């Protein structure tokens, strides 16, 4: 055997030895499925494992993470969205195979699409204007996600030519025209971060939510501008004898919480050596033993404060109060521009958006608030009624049962409370009815809050 052949065989052996080994057990815990992952230590390995589990819509309720020398031993207690164990054998085998090959072949590909990245100062109606510009420039939005936090916005949008269905990267004049118009939309007189206004276009593969965390972090959205209710509690302490910084985080539990926190630790170049995650009721407790990539723990008070702020921001970005609207309909050119225009004209601000298109069906999810980022004020509803000329708003088909039940519950509360303390909740449902009635008249509304 030649030397080169020996070298190739040795490389294959190293790869096989370092590939993650996965064991999925349904008998250990009565309420969740246990996923055990043993893998060689490496940059980003923990994040990739957490990312893969969350991308499968698995809820991580408990976790134990430990690094022993050059090896990781991670245990995750997961359930489906309904809080049940995983019972589908095909899904279990798919999880095992995906994790075992994820560190060598996992990518989120958008072949044949052009990616747009936007960051800047958020304002009411901005996303509506962005989608209107793209529609005017004959760009069809296939996938998009947008987050807002602390007065900033970050968005990733994948587009193709509306006529040919091909990427637009090759047309440099068109690219410059799109970038120029989107930059103009993002400009504001009081923008304090000029370098975040540009629209960046590129090709390649990336994880959208991973990239949104990076864009928000680079945009310094963690610098406090607004106070958030129920902001997560973060404590950072050093263990000098062991050379670790201990990070404790407490907040309301939700989907993708661990992913958001590990993303930010990774972006800040902290390495997780040990961690424990548990939930008690609706509260999540996360503890991490970390060091900076240079091998040192947190070394100064400004660094500690920055770490606290960044972790709080990581949790807050996905925690949006407001009305949830989900639209599902046959895709067509200009659909997003039309839908978001209706929301803007009704005085609603899009705090977060998730846009997807599959097999000709568009599924759009919006989280909307009033112009101040708060729940809807009754006076705004009165103004919208006068403008549109619709009286006696009520919840009607095709609204789902869950929505009707919410209205019936509010009506019962009103009857029991003659002082009107629950009127705001009724108005909130009524505003949702008004907005969705307009969308339904356009033939767009399919689903629910």
């Amino acid at each position: 055997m030649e030397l080169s052949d020996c070298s190739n065989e040795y490389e294959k052996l190293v790869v096989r030895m370092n590939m993650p080994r996965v064991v999925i057990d349904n008998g250990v815990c009565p309420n969740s499925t246990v996923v055990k992952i043993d893998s060689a230590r490496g940059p980003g390995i923990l994040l990739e494992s957490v990312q893969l589990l969350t991308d499968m819509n698995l809820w991580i309720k408990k976790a134990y993470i430990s690094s022993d020398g050059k090896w990781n031993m991670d245990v995750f207690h997961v359930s489906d969205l309904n809080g049940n164990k995983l019972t589908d054998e095909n899904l279990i085998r798919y999880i095992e195979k995906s994790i075992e090959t994820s560190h060598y072949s996992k990518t989120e590909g958008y072949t044949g699409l052009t990616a747009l990245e936007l960051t800047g100062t958020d304002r009411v109606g901005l996303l509506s204007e962005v989608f209107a510009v793209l529609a005017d420039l004959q760009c069809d939005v296939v996938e998009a996600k947008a987050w807002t936090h602390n007065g900033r916005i970050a968005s990733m949008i994948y587009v193709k030519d509306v006529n040919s269905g091909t990427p637009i990267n090759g047309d440099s004049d068109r690219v410059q025209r799109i970038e120029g118009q989107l930059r103009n939309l993002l400009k504001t007189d009081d923008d304090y971060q000029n370098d975040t206004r540009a629209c960046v276009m590129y090709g390649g593969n990336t994880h959208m939510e991973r990239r949104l965390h990076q864009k928000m972090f680079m945009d310094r959205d963690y610098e406090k501008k607004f106070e958030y209710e129920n902001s997560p509690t973060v404590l950072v302490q050093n263990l000098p004898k062991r050379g670790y910084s201990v990070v404790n985080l407490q907040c309301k539990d939700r989907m993708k919480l661990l992913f958001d926190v590990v993303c930010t630790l990774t972006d800040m170049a902290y390495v997780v050596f040990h961690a424990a995650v548990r939930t008690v009721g609706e509260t999540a407790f996360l503890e991490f033993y970390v060091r900076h990539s240079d091998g040192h723990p947190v070394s100064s008070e400004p660094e500690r404060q920055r770490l606290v702020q960044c972790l709080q921001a990581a949790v807050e970005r996905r925690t949006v109060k407001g009305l949830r609207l989900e639209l599902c309909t046959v895709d067509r050119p200009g659909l997003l521009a039309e839908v978001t225009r209706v929301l803007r004209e009704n005085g609603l601000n899009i705090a977060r958006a998730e846009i997807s298109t599959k097999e000709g069906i568009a599924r759009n999810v919006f989280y909307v608030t009033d112009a101040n980022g708060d729940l809807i004020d009754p006076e705004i509803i009165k103004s919208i009624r006068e403008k549109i000329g619709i009286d006696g708003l009520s919840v009607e088909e095709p609204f789902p049962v869950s929505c009707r039940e919410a209205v019936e519950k509010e009506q019962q509360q009103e009857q029991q409370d003659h002082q009107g303390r629950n009127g705001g909740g009724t108005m909130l449902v009524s505003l949702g009815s008004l907005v969705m009635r307009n969308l339904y008249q356009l033939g767009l509304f399919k689903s629910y809050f």
Side-chain angles (χ1 to χ4, degrees):
M1 182 181 294
E2 296 182 0
L3 183 60
S4 59
D5 295 332
C6 293
S7 178
N8 291 336
E9 290 300 319
Y10 176 75
E11 291 175 358
K12 293 178 181 178
L13 176 62
V14 171
V15 169
R16 285 196 298 270
M17 290 177 61
N18 291 335
M19 285 182 67
R21 290 189 281 275
V22 184
V23 176
I24 298 180
D25 192 339
N26 261 326
V28 175
C29 182
N31 302 318
S32 61
T33 298
V34 178
V35 180
K36 303 176 184 178
I37 306 174
D38 294 341
S39 62
R41 279 193 60 191
I45 293 296
L46 173 61
L47 176 56
E48 288 186 24
S49 298
V50 174
Q51 174 182 305
L52 190 144
L53 292 174
T54 54
D55 283 348
M56 294 181 183
N57 289 324
L58 301 181
W59 198 321
I60 300 175
K61 289 291 188 177
K62 187 186 297 184
Y64 303 99
I65 296 159
S66 180
S67 297
D68 184 9
K70 296 183 178 181
W71 202 254
N72 286 339
M73 294 171 285
D74 305 330
V75 179
F76 301 97
H77 292 240
V78 303
S79 64
D80 62 18
L81 295 178
N82 297 319
N84 301 319
K85 286 185 176 184
L86 310 183
T87 57
D88 187 338
E89 291 297 329
N90 292 328
L91 174 61
I92 291 175
R93 285 193 294 269
Y94 177 75
I95 294 173
E96 291 175 341
K97 182 178 180 181
S98 298
I99 294 176
E100 288 173 351
T101 60
S102 63
H103 307 313
Y104 302 97
S105 61
K106 178 73 169 66
T107 59
E108 183 179 28
Y110 294 91
T111 305
L113 301 175
T114 299
L116 314 178
E117 289 186 352
L118 295 85
T119 54
T121 300
D122 186 32
R123 57 181 170 81
V124 177
L126 176 58
L127 270 182
S128 174
E129 296 175 13
V130 167
F131 292 134
V133 164
L134 293 176
D136 289 341
L137 294 173
Q138 301 296 297
C139 295
D140 183 24
V141 177
V142 180
E143 298 277 342
K145 289 190 179 183
W147 290 354
T148 62
H149 180 250
N150 268 345
R152 310 298 293 175
I153 184 171
S155 179
M156 282 199 66
I157 306 173
Y158 283 90
V159 301
K160 63 182 179 181
D161 182 79
V162 72
N163 297 313
S164 65
T166 58
I168 60 177
N169 304 60
D171 190 341
S172 59
D173 292 337
R174 188 179 183 186
V175 167
Q176 293 179 3
R177 191 161 61 251
I178 294 172
E179 286 183 336
Q181 292 197 30
L182 291 177
R183 283 197 187 103
N184 289 335
L185 288 180
L186 293 169
K187 286 182 179 178
T188 59
D189 294 336
D190 60 346
D191 198 340
Y192 62 91
Q193 293 170 324
N194 294 329
D195 60 333
T196 64
R197 299 175 182 170
C199 169
V200 182
M201 305 188 64
Y202 69 102
N205 298 320
T206 187
H207 188 274
M208 293 182 73
E209 294 184 346
R210 175 84 179 91
R211 185 58 178 164
L212 285 176
H213 275 299
Q214 291 174 335
K215 297 297 290 185
M216 282 292 201
F217 175 73
M218 291 186 291
D219 198 32
R220 302 171 70 89
D221 75 312
Y222 53 84
E223 294 181 346
K224 287 295 183 181
K225 185 176 181 181
F226 303 113
E227 292 297 328
Y228 284 80
E229 295 182 4
N230 302 319
S231 185
T233 300
V234 181
L235 298 176
V236 179
Q237 298 175 313
N238 279 355
L239 293 179
K241 293 184 178 180
R242 298 194 177 185
Y244 292 121
S245 291
V246 183
V247 179
N248 284 279
L249 186 149
Q250 178 182 337
C251 65
K252 184 177 181 180
D253 190 31
R254 60 165 174 79
M255 280 286 294
K256 300 188 178 182
L257 176 62
L258 182 58
F259 170 77
D260 294 338
V261 173
V262 174
C263 268
T264 298
L265 290 173
T266 303
D267 289 340
M268 299 184 73
Y270 288 102
V271 180
V272 177
F273 286 85
H274 307 280
V277 178
R278 63 187 179 93
T279 57
V280 178
E282 294 185 350
T283 304
F285 301 87
L286 297 84
E287 184 176 62
F288 301 89
Y289 288 73
V290 303
R291 292 177 185 147
H292 200 268
S293 57
D294 60 10
H296 295 92
V298 174
S299 58
S300 66
E301 179 60 20
E303 181 185 357
R304 187 194 69 81
Q305 293 180 356
R306 182 169 177 262
L307 177 56
V308 169
Q309 290 179 333
C310 289
L311 290 176
Q312 288 176 332
V315 176
E316 293 168 351
R317 287 169 194 152
R318 207 190 293 267
T319 306
V320 178
K321 61 181 178 180
L323 204 63
R324 182 182 188 272
L325 304 179
E326 179 174 337
L327 312 174
C328 187
T329 187
V330 176
D331 191 31
R332 57 179 171 79
L335 173 65
L336 264 180
E338 193 170 6
V339 171
T340 53
R341 174 184 59 80
V342 171
L343 298 179
R344 184 187 73 238
E345 290 177 350
N346 282 277
L348 302 183
N349 183 50
I350 300 174
R352 202 173 100 211
E354 299 176 4
I355 311 301
S356 62
T357 306
K358 186 175 181 180
E359 297 179 352
I361 301 298
R363 179 180 178 272
N364 306 330
V365 177
F366 303 100
Y367 294 83
V368 297
T369 65
D370 69 3
N372 297 319
D374 299 321
L375 296 180
I376 310 304
D377 188 275
E379 290 300 318
I380 298 178
I381 302 173
K382 181 179 178 181
S383 174
I384 294 175
R385 280 184 174 143
E386 294 174 352
K387 182 183 300 183
I388 299 180
I390 298 178
D391 297 325
L393 296 176
S394 62
V395 178
E396 300 175 351
E397 294 296 340
F399 305 114
V401 174
S402 59
C403 181
R404 294 197 301 272
E405 289 177 345
V407 176
E408 292 172 358
K409 183 178 180 180
E410 290 290 345
Q411 291 173 344
Q412 292 174 1
Q413 290 175 344
E414 279 189 333
Q415 294 172 0
Q416 297 171 2
D417 189 351
H418 297 289
Q419 297 179 356
R421 287 175 293 180
N422 297 314
T426 304
M427 286 298 184
L428 175 61
V429 175
S430 297
L431 179 62
S433 305
L434 171 62
V435 174
M436 288 186 283
R437 183 192 297 272
N438 281 272
L439 295 173
Y440 180 54
Q441 290 172 347
L442 292 172
L444 303 177
F445 179 74
K446 173 67 180 287
S447 196
Y448 48 87
F449 290 105

